[in-house]
Every structure is written in C-alpha cells, then in structure tokens.
C-alpha cells in the first residue's frame, strides 16, 4: 500500500516534491493533500502531483497523511509541528531554523515520543548528519568534548537588508559574521536553517559556531561543517548554486524510508 504525504508550502521547494511525483521518483507514495498561503498554489501543485488542496491544518490532516512535509516558513513549523506529531503523523520540515527555540524542539520531541510518530531532520542544503551524530555519540561515550561549527561563503547580495550587511562586503571578501549559531539565528532568522540543523546534530545552537564570509561575485552558498574530538575530524562541504538540493533532500529521504536498503 502506498504511503500518503501531505505538503505545507507550495512554493519553489514544494514544487520539487511535485516534480518528483510527476517523474515517478516516489513510487511508494501518493500525495494526499497540499496547502499553501494562496489556495491557487496548492491547487496547481495538486494538479501535478495528485491529492486535494486543503484549507488549514485540520483539513490537511483529515486527508490521513502518514508524513507531513513542510516547505513554507519558520512560523509554520512553530505553529504546526506539535499538533502534527501529537496526531501520530511524522513530520519532515525544511524550515529547521524554528528549532533554535529549544523549548519548541523539546515539545516536538516529546510529542513524537508519545505518539510514536517521528520528526525527521533532512540534510537540506548541507550534509553529513549521519557521521556528525556518530561523532557526537563517540564524544559522549568517551566523555570528551565535541567542537562543531559551520562556515558559509555566499555573495553579499544575499546579506542585504540584514543587520550584518555593510557596503564594504560588496567590494572585498570579508567575514560578515562570527559567533554562535544561537547568535546567528538572532541576527538572521530566515537564513540559518542549515546552521541550526547541524547544531542540533552536534552540540546545540549555543555551543556550535557559525561564520559567514561574504565573497563578491559568489553565486550560491558553500557550507563547510566541521566536528572534531581527539582522534576524529569530520568535514562536510556542500556547494549549491541554488536551494534545489534542499527540496531533493526530502525526496531522497522519502525514497530511503521506502527502500529495503538504507544508507545511514
Ligand atoms: N533546510 C534547508 O537546507 C533549507 C534550504 C532552503 C530553504 N529552506 C526553507 O524552506 C522554506 C521554503 O523555501 P522556498 O524557497 O520553497 O520558499 P517559497 O517562498 O518559494 O515557498 C514557500 C511557500 O510556503 C507558503 N507559505 C508560507 N507561509 C505559509 C503558511 N503559514 N501556511 C501555508 N503556506 C505558507 C508560501 O505562500 C509559499 O507558497 C523556507 O522557510 C526556507 O527558509 C530550508
């Protein structure tokens, strides 16, 4: 029997899920329902991927999905993650920045624990969460300290209209921000999903470091995650010209969940 997916947010990344359905890349799944701020976007997506446009969470969950995928906004995760998990439905968010709020993350964890549903944190635009989790486990087992952080190179244009922007970033490669992931989130709430995700996989947003370097003329993002403990060094680097890899990370996760072979 096919597993049912529902989607919140039918924009750029939501359309990648629809593209995968259309191309037959998710044969183990059917689209149950989709919702978006504009109903027409949800209707258009359902015409491609199947399912029905829903108006609000109750209607979305009424379509009996096994998984709810979020490709909408941090606010959406804040509002909906606990009710979805409490309803026993697994949740796959991309706006992971919401979980910089540790209280929310703990509420989501407990809801999943109580209902038996799962909160999946996809690798999105970065990667290596499997080996980061193993390094964190080894640090715990051996009573050692794990040091972890993320360093990002990006064009200055993507930092315009943020508190870290200054005109000099346009002309010369410069460090635009250096601090903890928690501090990065406070300054750049909409731009740090990957920083929060890697910090949750390692040492938490308070202890994980974040650096952003503005590189004039740079197109896309290059993220380098490092985690170290004595005897182990993990470095995971992902360059992406645009955010499409984040949408495909959900498709890849769904395929892995349905496959007889799982790469961890
Ligand atoms: N984890 C990662 O690596 C990663 C990478 C890129 C983007 N993201 C995040 O993914 C999310 C989606 O990105 P996108 O590029 O597809 O954005 P987008 O703007 O193209 O699409 C978002 C869609 O969600 C809808 N939406 C917003 N708030 C909603 C709400 N409360 N209820 C229902 N629908 C709502 C919008 O109308 C829009 O159609 C963003 O939050 C972005 O920060 C995560």
């Amino acid at each position: 029997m096919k597993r049912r997916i529902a989607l919140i947010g039918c924009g750029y990344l939501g359309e990648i899920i629809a593209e995968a359905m259309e191309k037959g890349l998710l044969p183990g799944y059917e689209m149950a329902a989709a919702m978006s701020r504009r109903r027409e976007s949800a209707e258009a997506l359902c015409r491609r991927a199947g399912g029905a446009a829903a108006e609000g969470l109750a209607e979305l969950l009424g379509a009996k999905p096994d998984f709810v995928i979020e490709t909408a906004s941090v606010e959406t995760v804040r509002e909906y993650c606990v009710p979805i998990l409490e309803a026993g439905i697994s949740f796959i968010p991309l706006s992971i920045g919401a979980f910089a709020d540790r209280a929310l993350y703990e509420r989501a964890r407990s809801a999943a624990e109580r209902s038996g549903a799962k909160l999946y944190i996809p690798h999105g635009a970065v990667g290596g969460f499997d080996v980061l989790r193993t390094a964190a486990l080894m640090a715990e087992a051996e009573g050692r300290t794990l040091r972890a952080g993320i360093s990002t190179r990006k064009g200055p244009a993507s930092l315009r209209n943020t508190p870290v922007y200054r005109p000099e970033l346009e002309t010369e490669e410069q460090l635009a921000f250096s601090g903890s992931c928690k501090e990065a989130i406070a300054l750049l709430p909409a731009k740090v999903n990957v920083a929060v995700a890697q910090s949750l996989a390692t040492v938490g947003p308070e202890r994980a470091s974040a650096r952003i370097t503005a590189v004039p003329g740079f197109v896309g993002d290059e993220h380098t995650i490092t985690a170290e403990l004595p005897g182990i060094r993990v470095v995971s680097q992902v360059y992406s010209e645009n955010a499409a890899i984040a949408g495909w990370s959900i498709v890849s996760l769904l395929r892995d969940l349905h496959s007889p072979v799982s790469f961890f």
Side-chain angles (χ1 to χ4, degrees):
M1 209 171 67
K2 292 196 175 199
R3 290 193 249 186
R4 291 166 69 74
I5 55 178
L7 186 65
I8 305 176
C10 303
Y12 174 62
L13 296 176
E15 286 290 339
I16 288 175
I17 314 297
E19 182 185 339
M21 296 292 286
E22 237 178 10
K23 290 183 170 163
L25 294 168
L26 287 170
Y29 295 89
E30 61 188 355
M31 183 70 79
M35 70 186 232
S36 205
R37 200 176 272 144
R38 289 175 51 250
R39 190 180 173 86
E40 308 87 77
S41 313
E43 285 170 346
L45 187 137
C46 289
R47 276 196 293 279
R48 292 180 71 189
E55 200 72 62
L57 188 69
E59 202 178 321
L60 192 86
L61 299 190
K64 301 263 176 273
D66 301 297
F67 300 89
V68 173
I69 296 162
E70 175 278 332
T71 53
S73 64
V74 160
E75 293 72 29
T76 317
V77 174
R78 239 178 246 144
E79 193 175 344
Y80 297 139
C81 69
V82 173
I84 291 168
L85 290 163
E86 266 171 353
I89 299 164
S90 292
F91 185 48
I92 310 177
L94 268 187
S95 306
I96 298 156
F99 293 127
D101 175 352
R102 292 289 221 142
L104 179 73
Y105 183 57
E106 286 310 321
R107 283 207 308 281
R109 259 183 71 109
S110 317
E113 209 160 36
R114 280 195 304 276
S115 72
K118 251 177 122 74
L119 170 62
Y120 292 96
I121 308 283
H123 68 70
V126 289
F129 290 1
D130 51 356
V131 69
L132 290 174
R133 296 298 290 152
T134 302
L137 172 67
M138 288 174 73
E140 187 185 335
E142 295 165 8
R144 292 168 189 257
T145 301
L146 182 70
R147 289 193 304 125
I150 184 166
S151 178
T152 297
R153 287 163 65 79
K154 53 168 59 236
S158 65
L159 296 172
R160 284 179 202 150
N161 304 313
T162 73
V164 304
Y165 181 78
R166 41 186 202 273
E168 311 89 85
L169 299 180
E170 302 281 356
T171 48
E172 198 187 321
E173 178 168 330
Q174 277 185 28
L175 191 63
F177 172 81
S178 178
S180 69
C181 284
K182 183 103 189 156
E183 290 160 346
I185 294 143
L187 284 173
L188 305 161
K191 294 187 184 286
V192 292
N193 291 302
V194 291
V196 175
Q198 67 82 28
S199 76
L200 293 174
T202 55
V203 294
E206 299 80 11
R207 285 183 46 214
S209 64
R211 287 164 67 86
I212 299 172
T213 303
V215 184
F218 197 86
V219 175
D221 285 335
E222 183 186 85
H223 300 290
T224 306
I225 295 172
T226 309
E228 285 184 83
L229 69 154
I232 297 282
R233 183 153 58 89
V234 175
V235 180
S236 162
Q237 187 175 79
V238 177
Y239 166 76
S240 57
E241 188 177 9
N242 55 44
I245 192 169
W248 288 106
S249 77
I250 293 185
V251 178
S252 186
L253 167 63
L254 289 169
R255 283 165 63 95
D256 190 80
L257 291 174
H258 193 68
S259 167
V261 179
S262 181
F263 288 85
F264 170 71

